[in-house]
Amino acid sequence: MLIRSPNEIPASQITAESVYCKRRELLRGLGIAGLGLSGLGQPALADSAQTLSDIKRPSPYDTDEALTTFDDVTTYNNYYEFGTGKSDPAKYAVNFQPKPWTLQVSGQVENSGSFDLDDFIAPHQLEERIYRMRCVEAWSMVIPWVGIPLAKVIEACKPTSNAKYVAFIGLHDRQRMPGQRFAVLDWPYREGLRMDEAMHPLSMLVVGVYGRVLPNQNGAPLRLIVPWKYGFKGIKGIAGIHFSENQPATSWNLSAPNEYGFYANVNPNVDHPRWSQASERRLSGNGFGRLFAGRIDTHPFNGYAEQVAHLYSDLDLAKHF
Ligand SMILES: Nc1nc2c(c(=O)[nH]1)N[C@H]1C(S)=C(S)[C@@H](COP(=O)(O)O)O[C@H]1N2
Ligand SMILES: [Mo]
């Protein structure tokens, strides 16, 4: 790591002491010694295509279903900031620079402020989770994500007792995200979870896939993964985390409230107004190009009912979709 002497650092980059103290507290909460990450002998998190080492695996939450190929995971994407076609993100996000990356923590939380992503997630904390993923468009994949349980990050942020929800705000930058020049959604992309959903051990903040740093088209440098919900909850390119007392607005619910609810739990019994959600097409590339296997049944909570159904015992899931 290059250590610059204080007189080489512009005043704008010098951290005020109050912020610095909070930062130290946050790092302690995350179990990070406060070293620059490069001091850990690891590549920085956003070095595209870099292999991540020391990933904790396997996880008791892993599915043993066949993995979707790396090629399919990285070329068949939804990421409207880079176009609405499935192959657009791989094409138009190539030159996106996800490093350095600042994360804004705000709202009902003790450790609010701006943080460098590298202070949030250190390479030695990373875990792999092989999750089933189900898009609301009725296709699905099995993906080995690499990240950190969202609960760990939330605990380090120290939400106040008023924090009932956590919202995630995508990067808003028309220069770097050409799709934001089109009003297909009300930018920036927004998502949110109830606090108990966010604290559930299945919820992850993801920085990698297939043992490598997350490709831009999959949401580098930081995205959310909530495997019992439809894919759109898994916001990519997270620039802000906001804790609130009231349920936050979410992009797809804002854009089509009759089609997409706040919860978006995978539910074969509640059809999308324009198509059935009872089954799905599993993307299982075989190395000879993309292959959609035949239709398979969609399971309640995407097969994670045993782990998460209790979170919704009070809700009418046909009404709160
Ligand atoms: N910022 C942002 N995040 C997003 C989206 C998006 O358009 N913008 N699309 C969502 C949808 S609809 C899906 S299915 C998943 C796809 O993730 P993947 O391409 O990594 O499989 O990302 C979600 N996250
Ligand atoms: Mo999706």
Side-chain angles (χ1 to χ4, degrees):
M1 184 169 72
L2 183 73
I3 299 174
R4 293 185 292 176
S5 66
N7 58 9
E8 290 175 78
I9 302 174
S12 61
Q13 281 183 23
I14 296 174
T15 314
E17 193 183 0
S18 58
V19 176
Y20 182 76
C21 289
K22 274 198 220 150
R23 179 172 172 275
R24 255 197 332 212
E25 207 181 314
L26 181 92
L27 300 185
R28 224 182 299 123
L30 286 167
I32 301 171
L35 297 165
L37 286 186
S38 34
L40 297 169
Q42 291 267 6
L45 286 174
D47 297 346
S48 164
Q50 287 263 20
T51 301
L52 295 161
S53 47
D54 293 332
I55 300 165
K56 200 171 122 200
R57 56 162 81 90
S59 159
Y61 296 114
D62 289 348
T63 172
D64 58 8
E65 290 158 277
L67 297 180
T68 299
T69 60
F70 180 80
D71 190 50
D72 280 350
V73 170
T74 57
T75 59
Y76 191 84
N77 303 103
N78 274 336
Y79 198 175
Y80 281 18
E81 285 87 334
F82 294 100
T84 55
K86 294 284 178 284
S87 50
D88 287 346
K91 251 187 273 166
Y92 301 118
V94 243
N95 295 320
F96 182 73
Q97 179 51 259
K99 200 183 131 103
W101 191 266
T102 303
L103 203 59
Q104 202 80 38
V105 175
S106 60
Q108 296 288 347
V109 63
E110 282 178 39
N111 289 326
S112 58
S114 293
F115 302 96
D116 190 282
L117 179 60
D118 287 352
D119 290 341
F120 256 74
I121 297 174
H124 70 275
Q125 300 179 301
L126 299 181
E127 305 179 14
E128 181 175 84
R129 296 284 181 86
I130 303 174
Y131 281 164
R132 274 182 297 278
M133 304 302 303
R134 171 66 156 75
C135 177
V136 78
E137 294 163 0
W139 45 267
S140 64
M141 303 195 192
V142 176
I143 304 181
W145 298 114
V146 179
I148 170 176
L150 175 58
K152 281 196 189 174
V153 171
I154 290 181
E155 277 162 14
C157 289
K158 293 201 181 160
T160 70
S161 57
N162 291 329
K164 302 285 188 283
Y165 295 87
V166 53
F168 301 88
I169 301 105
L171 181 68
H172 198 186
D173 188 333
R174 294 174 83 179
Q175 299 307 317
R176 297 165 68 198
M177 297 181 141
Q180 290 185 342
R181 293 171 199 170
F182 305 93
V184 281
L185 288 172
D186 182 18
W187 307 111
Y189 199 97
R190 291 160 188 282
E191 259 311 333
L193 296 170
R194 219 170 54 190
M195 198 56 96
D196 59 339
E197 300 179 310
M199 295 301 288
H200 191 282
L202 284 170
S203 298
M204 298 280 286
L205 278 177
V206 160
V207 300
V209 68
Y210 264 102
R212 309 188 202 177
V213 168
L214 201 62
N216 290 337
Q217 60 268 38
N218 294 93
L222 186 70
R223 58 109 35 105
L224 180 68
I225 291 294
V226 192
W228 70 93
K229 293 176 180 282
Y230 290 119
F232 66 84
K233 295 296 284 184
I235 176 174
K236 301 177 175 182
I238 297 170
I241 300 183
H242 184 81
F243 294 86
S244 63
E245 186 149 18
N246 300 317
Q247 185 177 298
T250 58
S251 287
W252 285 100
N253 181 243
L254 281 172
S255 117
N258 59 321
E259 301 191 355
Y260 310 106
F262 173 80
Y263 285 95
N265 291 319
V266 174
N267 191 341
N269 304 313
V270 175
D271 288 343
H272 184 281
R274 291 181 279 137
W275 59 83
S276 163
Q277 295 291 26
S279 66
E280 65 201 48
R281 292 187 308 156
R282 177 65 51 85
L283 250 159
S284 55
N286 58 2
F288 299 96
R290 183 167 299 128
L291 189 93
F292 276 106
R295 294 200 90 90
I296 54 175
D297 286 347
T298 290
H299 294 285
F301 301 104
N302 201 25
Y304 298 96
E306 205 181 308
Q307 289 89 346
V308 302
H310 68 275
L311 299 176
Y312 309 102
S313 50
D314 295 343
L315 284 189
D316 175 353
L317 294 174
K319 214 168 111 204
H320 298 275
F321 56 86

